[in-house]
């Protein structure tokens, strides 16, 4: 058992039911998936699942071994955070009128966010970055009134020439 | 040809000689193709019976069993055999009908999400989305079922797709990039294991169903005899090592022998071959074999260090790994004398704590005696299936299995109702063998309708019911752990099993006297066709010895 957060990058065959098999495996063992993202790869037969779990709570070995048993799973990598570039995308709808708006926009600029919608009493800001950065942004804007927030969960890729 | 005719071609190409099933609306096309396909079909009375029959066939023959069911309730009735096959690593292909594609997801008549419901309990499953996928899907299903760690594979075919004409070409290659079972075993690790065995002073070989699946019984015997290692088997492994052998410890675990469990408790090295440290073996995990290092040989990497951390893990097929291990071990030329003390100690346990029961008074049949009588009546030369409960444990304890694939029971899932249909499958797979199903009055009633199948198909299964009028194992637990509060376990010796047998067109006989038991059984077994023996046994007999659930081996009772 290792105490760190695990980012599992899983290559799977693009076939119906694969995601259910993966998610079901975690559920059966009582593992809580923190985030889960799925998308196509450069090969349309193959998809990539990026999944983060808290390894402090559970031994990760058993679950990766079980994942390997799924016929449609091609490859699993447990990415080391230090050797990994990970990003997530988030959309924040923040209450912002009058003087608050200027402050929110300033924070947005500092975080290199992008304003994607402006309404009379709210704005929507797009943030990409590490989970920590997104969380930090959330902390900054929450006092203004956070109407809604959407986060994608992480996608991750190994640094350097090595393949994820 | 029609896709369903391609299904038949695939089955023939895979060497399938018999399928077990029941038709329904969504798989009528399959049954139409079966009509003149030249494959034997056994019409069961409940899909679960068909699934278990396919398991029994697979376990007895080592070939892949095939079971058919229609959509919805047909498929849901197969879930128990599917999970049963998963738990015991039995190669079975389940082919289910599905509603027409345009009805999928609309709660159509007899629709059930078979893929969704079976997913956690299969080795793999394939939903057909285009009729041309059918040949490849079926061949993949057979390949997956029988290779690596064997298991159940479900193929779900929507009825409209099964009627479409497709071009059929035999599939000769299987391309599964995500599936590459490692069979060979790492040479370095095998050498390490041999060294550990040569250094051990109190070693035990602990073998399981994986040895039977891998047909590695010869190699297991060779390892044991390489240096007089003591050997024990799990419930699933019985027969992998011959019971009448001086190195045999008996079964281990909850109802294992004291010799086997004490040996595990005191061992300094345990070599686990094709077994998985199930909780029925280990009892309290933290106190299991506290002095031992573990060699773990298994084809499934996920089993290694799942419950017990392995000091020397070896992923591979038991047969080839054991063969290499024996070779490596022999090359070491270990000092055999180091095992004298250990074998002496084990011999002492065996003499001091034999399996025993009190049979001294009256003419009433003790259930243990019944099992021994079945052994005598068959000369030990039979395939024995069992259901689940006390009779199963007594069979494991008192029937000395000389060879693998002679003992067929539901070990992992513990499915009552398994025994009779499994016996049907075994009898069809091994027509030259006597097949006896040892059941209980509780278990047999969970699939007794298959007696009709036996009668119609002329399957000469001999069913011996150890009839104590109770759900016996639950009653035993209530007696021991629930202050004798016998809640809902009294079956009152109903129904009249002789009449039930006759109602189904089978021969029925009742036995109540221990003094003529062996001859009575011989006479019953000599009756051609299916026979039901209702043996009235002592009602409140317990299975001993026993490790209480969650207790440690050294605290065995009874």
């Amino acid at each position: 058992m290792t105490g760190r957060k695990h980012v599992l990058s899983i290559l799977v065959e693009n076939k119906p039911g694969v995601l259910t098999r993966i998610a079901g495996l975690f559920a059966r063992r009582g593992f809580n998936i923190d985030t889960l993202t799925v998308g196509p790869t450069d090969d349309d037969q193959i998809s990539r699942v990026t999944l983060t779990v808290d390894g402090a709570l559970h031994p990760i070995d058993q679950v990766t071994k079980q994942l390997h048993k799924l016929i449609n799973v091609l490859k699993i990598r447990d990415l080391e955070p230090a050797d990994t570039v990970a990003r997530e995308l988030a959309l924040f709808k923040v209450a912002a009128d009058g003087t608050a708006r200027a402050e929110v926009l300033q924070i947005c600029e500092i975080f290199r966010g992008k304003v994607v919608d402006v309404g009379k009493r709210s704005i929507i800001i797009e943030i990409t970055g590490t989970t920590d950065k997104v969380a930090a942004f959330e902390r900054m804007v929450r006092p203004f009134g956070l109407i809604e927030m959407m986060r994608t969960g992480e996608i991750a890729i190994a640094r350097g020439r090595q393949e994820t | 040809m029609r896709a369903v005719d391609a299904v038949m071609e695939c089955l023939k190409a895979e060497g399938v000689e018999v399928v077990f099933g029941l038709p329904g609306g969504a798989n009528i096309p399959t049954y139409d193709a079966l009509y003149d396909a030249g494959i034997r079909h056994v019409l069961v009375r409940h899909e679960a019976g068909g699934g278990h029959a396919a398991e029994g066939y697979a376990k007895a023959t080592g070939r892949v069993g095939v079971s058919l069911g229609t959509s919805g309730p047909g498929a849901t009735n197969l879930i128990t055999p599917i999970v049963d096959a998963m738990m015991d690593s039995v190669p079975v292909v389940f082919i289910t009908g599905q509603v027409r594609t345009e009805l999928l997801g609309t709660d159509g008549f007899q629709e059930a999400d078979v893929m969704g419901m079976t997913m956690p309990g299969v080795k793999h499953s394939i939903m057909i989305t285009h009729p041309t996928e059918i040949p490849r899907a079926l061949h993949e299903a057979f390949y997956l079922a029988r290779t690596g760690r064997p298991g159940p594979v479900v193929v779900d075919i929507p009825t409209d797709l099964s009627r479409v004409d497709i071009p059929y070409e035999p599939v000769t290659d299987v391309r599964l990039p995500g599936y590459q079972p490692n069979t060979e075993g790492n040479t370095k690790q095998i050498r390490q294991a041999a060294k550990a065995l040569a250094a051990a002073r109190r070693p035990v070989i602990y073998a399981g169903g994986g040895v039977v699946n891998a047909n590695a019984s010869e190699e297991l015997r060779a390892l044991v005899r390489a240096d007089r290692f003591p050997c024990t088997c799990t419930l699933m492994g019985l027969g992998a090592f011959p019971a009448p052998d001086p190195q045999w410890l008996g079964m281990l675990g909850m109802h294992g022998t004291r010799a086997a469990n004490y040996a595990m408790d005191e061992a300094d090295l345990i070599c686990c071959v094709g077994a998985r440290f199930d909780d029925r073996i280990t009892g309290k995990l933290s106190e299991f074999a506290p002095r031992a290092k573990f060699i773990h040989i298994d084809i499934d990497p996920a089993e290694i260090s799942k419950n017990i951390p392995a000091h020397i893990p070896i992923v591979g097929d038991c047969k080839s790994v054991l063969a290499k291990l024996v070779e490596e071990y022999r090359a070491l030329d270990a000092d055999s004398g180091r095992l004298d003390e250990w074998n002496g100690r084990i011999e002492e346990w065996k003499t001091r704590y034999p399996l025993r029961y009190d049979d001294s008074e009256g003419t009433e049949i003790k259930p243990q005696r019944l099992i021994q009588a079945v052994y005598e009546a068959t000369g030990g030369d039979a395939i024995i299936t069992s259901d689940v409960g006390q009779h199963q444990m007594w069979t494991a304890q008192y029937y000395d299995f000389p060879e693998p694939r002679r003992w067929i029971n539901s070990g992992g899932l513990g499915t009552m109702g398994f025994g009779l249909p499994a016996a049907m499958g075994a009898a069809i797979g091994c027509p030259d063998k006597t097949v006896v199903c040892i059941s209980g009055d509780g278990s047999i009633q969970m699939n007794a309708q298959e007696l009709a199948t036996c009668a119609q198909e002329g399957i000469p299964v001999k069913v011996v019911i150890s009839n104590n009028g109770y759900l016996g194992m639950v009653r035993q637990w209530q007696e021991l752990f629930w202050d004798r509060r016998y809640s809902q376990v009294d079956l009152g010796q109903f129904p009249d099993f002789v009449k039930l047998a006759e109602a189904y067109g089978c021969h029925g006989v009742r036995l109540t006297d221990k003094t003529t038991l062996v001859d009575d059984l011989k006479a019953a077994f000599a009756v051609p066709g299916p026979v039901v023996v209702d043996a009235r046994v002592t009602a409140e007999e317990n299975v001993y010895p026993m490790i209480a659930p969650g207790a440690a081996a050294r605290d065995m009772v009874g």
Side-chain angles (χ1 to χ4, degrees), chain B residues 251 255-256 355 392-400 543-545:
Chain B
M251 180 173 78
H255 292 298
L355 289 169
Q392 176 191 27
M393 291 302 128
W394 282 317
T395 309
Q397 290 177 333
Y398 287 93
Y399 194 102
D400 289 336
V543 184
Y544 286 124

Side-chain angles (χ1 to χ4, degrees), chain B residues 277-290:
Chain B
F277 297 97
D278 180 73
D279 58 85
R280 286 296 192 260
I281 297 299
T282 61
K284 191 173 187 182
L285 211 52
S286 60
E287 290 180 34
F288 173 70

Side-chain angles (χ1 to χ4, degrees), chain A residues 13 17 20-21 28 62 65-66 68-74, chain B residues 115 119 123-125 144 149 177-179 300-302 304 306:
Chain A
E13 286 183 272
T20 312
R21 286 180 213 266
R28 189 158 80 94
Q62 189 40 228
K65 282 176 172 177
Q66 295 290 342
H68 267 297
K69 285 172 72 168
L70 299 177
I71 309 298
N72 300 130
V73 168
L74 302 173
Chain B
M115 296 296 281
M119 234 171 233
K123 180 168 177 184
H124 190 52
S125 48
L144 287 167
R149 179 177 183 171
Y179 179 72
D300 180 357
I304 309 248
K306 185 179 81 178

Side-chain angles (χ1 to χ4, degrees), chain B residues 439-462:
Chain B
S439 189
D441 48 319
S443 281
I444 193 68
Q445 293 188 66
M446 288 216 183
N447 268 322
Q449 76 287 344
E450 298 310 328
L451 288 172
T453 307
C454 294
Q456 184 177 357
E457 294 274 338
I459 305 170
V461 165
K462 314 302 177 196

Side-chain angles (χ1 to χ4, degrees), chain B residues 189-206:
Chain B
Q189 288 166 331
I190 294 173
R191 194 161 298 156
Q192 224 183 324
K195 278 188 191 154
L197 278 167
R201 304 194 73 84
R202 296 188 308 279
V204 177
I205 313 286
Y206 148 47

Side-chain angles (χ1 to χ4, degrees), chain A residues 105-113 133:
Chain A
L105 288 173
Q106 207 176 5
I107 295 166
C108 172
E109 200 169 308
I110 294 164
F111 278 82
R112 292 195 208 104
K133 176 182 164 184

Side-chain angles (χ1 to χ4, degrees), chain B residues 80-132:
Chain B
T80 304
I82 287 169
V83 179
D84 193 279
M86 187 68 177
M87 292 288 271
D88 286 352
S89 308
V90 192
V92 179
V93 171
F94 293 87
I95 303 172
T96 50
Q98 183 51 275
V99 298
R100 298 197 306 277
T101 40
E102 83 232 37
L103 287 174
L104 279 171
T106 66
D107 305 322
F109 176 66
Q110 290 195 329
E111 185 191 0
D113 177 10
V114 176
M115 296 296 281
M117 284 188 293
T118 58
M119 234 171 233
V122 294
K123 180 168 177 184
H124 190 52
S125 48
I126 304 165
M127 169 108 185
I128 302 298
T129 55
H130 195 276
T132 54

